[in-house]
Structures are given as structure tokens and as C-alpha cells.
Amino acid sequence: MVQGTLPDGLPATSPVALREPAVVVAADYFHSYSVVGLLTVVGVLFVAVAFGAGRLLRPVVPTPEKLLTYECGVDPVGEGWAHTQVRYYVYAFLYVIFAVDSIFLFPWATVFAAPGYGATTLVEMFVFLGFLTVGLLYAYKKGVLTWT
């Protein structure tokens, strides 16, 4: 056995001193992943136990009335398929586009005021607004923005 101390002040025979530095770095690296993995396993087990307990503890008394399909407490009449207008999805999509636009504008205004970022941020914002304008003009040309 080698007696003495290392420059770090650790004894030369300590387990930390006997490991190579690459092994220590790899162990620290994989330790963070093991924490995430353990948390994932605990979460999955928690959900599985909750569903299993619910299945074991609930009463199971199927009756013909319970097996009927209903909607909002009313017996269904007619077919189950309904025609949905596509324009409602288009309006929802346009809303999302403008919501993202507004979310992008607030941080941009904050960065624009910082020294040294003015010209670059201004160009980036005009490029972004140009893309939005092209999309809006396309929607207008296709007649999406007219309510019928």
C-alpha cells in the first residue's frame, strides 16, 4: 500500500483517489439520468397503483340502462355522425397564429430596449412580421376571413 496524501489532501488509498477522473465524471453524468429514470418509474408505478386500486374498489353492477349511450343525460336520437364546418378550425388556427405573435412581441420589446440589440432585433421582428403578413394575405385571398 502506498501511504501519503495526494495534492487534493485525500489519502492515496481512498476510494476516490483510486478511481480515474473519467470514471468519476461518467458516474456523475449518469447519476443525473438515474434520478430522472427513478422519478419516471415512481410516477408510472403511482399511476398503475391508483388505477389498480380504483378497479378493485369500485362496485361493478352492469345493468342494461347503464350500458346505454347517452349525451348530457338525454337519449341519443339519429346517427352518431355530425357535420362540422371546417371554417371554425381555420379561425382557431388564425387565433393561435396571432396568439403566438403576441407572445413573441412582448419579449422582443424587452430585448429591443437593451443596449446593443436594437438593429438586430428590429430586423428579426420585421422578418417575423413579414411571414405573418404573407400568411394573413394568403388567408384573405382564399376567402377565409369572410364570414358567410
Side-chain angles (χ1 to χ4, degrees):
M1 288 259 163
V2 177
Q3 295 296 327
T5 59
L6 295 175
D8 295 343
L10 294 171
T13 58
S14 73
V16 175
L18 295 177
R19 284 196 255 171
E20 296 192 24
V23 174
V24 173
V25 171
D28 289 341
Y29 178 75
F30 288 118
H31 176 69
S32 60
Y33 279 111
S34 65
V35 170
V36 171
L38 181 65
L39 188 62
T40 303
V41 168
V42 167
V44 168
L45 284 176
F46 181 75
V47 171
V49 167
F51 276 114
R55 187 174 180 100
L56 291 175
L57 296 176
R58 71 176 180 228
V60 180
V61 186
T63 63
E65 295 239 345
K66 287 184 180 179
L67 298 176
L68 284 177
T69 305
Y70 69 96
E71 184 173 336
C72 300
V74 179
D75 290 334
V77 177
E79 294 187 24
W81 294 97
H83 183 70
T84 305
Q85 296 286 334
V86 174
R87 66 177 173 218
Y88 298 121
Y89 294 111
V90 173
Y91 284 113
F93 184 66
L94 286 173
Y95 169 75
V96 168
I97 288 173
F98 287 110
V100 168
D101 178 33
S102 64
I103 288 172
F104 187 68
L105 283 173
F106 286 116
W108 172 78
T110 320
V111 171
F112 184 68
Y117 290 104
T120 305
T121 337
L122 189 63
V123 170
E124 288 176 356
M125 182 49 64
F126 277 116
V127 168
F128 179 71
L129 290 176
F131 281 120
L132 284 179
T133 304
V134 168
L136 187 62
L137 289 175
Y138 177 77
Y140 178 75
K141 184 172 175 96
K142 287 291 189 177
V144 171
L145 301 177
T146 57
W147 189 271
T148 56

Coordinates of all heavy atoms in Angstrom, one line a residue, residues 2-14 16-18:
V2 N 0.4 2.2 -0.7 CA 1.1 3.5 -0.8 C 0.6 4.4 0.3 O -0.7 4.6 0.3 CB 1.0 4.1 -2.2 CG1 1.6 5.5 -2.2 CG2 1.5 3.2 -3.3
Q3 N 1.4 4.9 1.1 CA 1.0 5.8 2.1 C 1.3 7.2 1.7 O 2.1 7.5 0.9 CB 1.7 5.5 3.5 CG 1.4 4.1 4.0 CD -0.1 4.0 4.4 OE1 -0.7 5.0 4.9 NE2 -0.6 2.8 4.3
G4 N 0.5 8.2 2.3 CA 0.8 9.6 2.0 C -0.5 10.2 1.5 O -1.6 9.7 1.6
T5 N -0.4 11.4 1.0 CA -1.6 12.2 0.6 C -1.4 12.7 -0.8 O -0.2 12.8 -1.3 CB -1.8 13.4 1.5 OG1 -0.7 14.2 1.5 CG2 -2.2 12.9 2.9
L6 N -2.5 12.9 -1.5 CA -2.4 13.5 -2.9 C -2.5 15.0 -2.7 O -2.7 15.5 -1.7 CB -3.7 13.0 -3.6 CG -3.7 11.5 -3.9 CD1 -5.0 11.1 -4.6 CD2 -2.5 11.1 -4.8
P7 N -2.3 15.7 -3.9 CA -2.3 17.2 -3.8 C -3.6 17.7 -3.3 O -3.7 18.8 -2.8 CB -2.0 17.6 -5.3 CG -1.3 16.4 -5.9 CD -1.8 15.2 -5.2
D8 N -4.7 16.9 -3.5 CA -6.0 17.4 -3.1 C -6.2 17.2 -1.6 O -7.2 17.7 -1.0 CB -7.2 16.6 -3.7 CG -7.2 16.8 -5.2 OD1 -6.6 17.8 -5.7 OD2 -7.8 16.0 -6.0
G9 N -5.3 16.6 -0.9 CA -5.4 16.4 0.5 C -6.0 15.0 0.9 O -6.2 14.7 2.0
L10 N -6.4 14.3 -0.2 CA -7.0 13.0 0.1 C -5.9 11.9 0.3 O -4.9 12.0 -0.3 CB -7.9 12.5 -1.1 CG -9.1 13.4 -1.4 CD1 -9.7 13.0 -2.8 CD2 -10.1 13.2 -0.4
P11 N -6.2 10.9 1.2 CA -5.2 9.9 1.3 C -5.1 9.1 0.0 O -6.0 9.0 -0.7 CB -5.8 9.0 2.4 CG -7.0 9.7 2.9 CD -7.3 10.8 2.1
A12 N -3.9 8.6 -0.3 CA -3.6 7.9 -1.5 C -4.4 6.6 -1.6 O -4.5 6.1 -2.7 CB -2.1 7.7 -1.6
T13 N -4.8 6.1 -0.5 CA -5.6 4.8 -0.6 C -7.1 5.0 -0.5 O -7.8 4.0 -0.4 CB -5.1 3.9 0.6 OG1 -5.4 4.7 1.8 CG2 -3.7 3.6 0.5
S14 N -7.6 6.2 -0.6 CA -9.0 6.4 -0.5 C -9.7 6.0 -1.8 O -9.1 6.0 -2.9 CB -9.3 7.9 -0.3 OG -9.1 8.7 -1.4
V16 N -11.8 7.4 -3.7 CA -11.9 8.5 -4.7 C -10.6 8.6 -5.4 O -10.5 8.8 -6.6 CB -12.3 9.8 -4.0 CG1 -12.3 10.9 -5.0 CG2 -13.7 9.7 -3.3
A17 N -9.5 8.5 -4.6 CA -8.2 8.7 -5.2 C -7.8 7.5 -6.1 O -7.1 7.7 -7.1 CB -7.1 8.8 -4.1
L18 N -8.4 6.3 -5.9 CA -8.1 5.2 -6.7 C -8.8 5.1 -8.0 O -8.4 4.5 -9.0 CB -8.4 3.9 -5.9 CG -7.5 3.7 -4.7 CD1 -7.9 2.4 -3.9 CD2 -6.0 3.6 -5.0

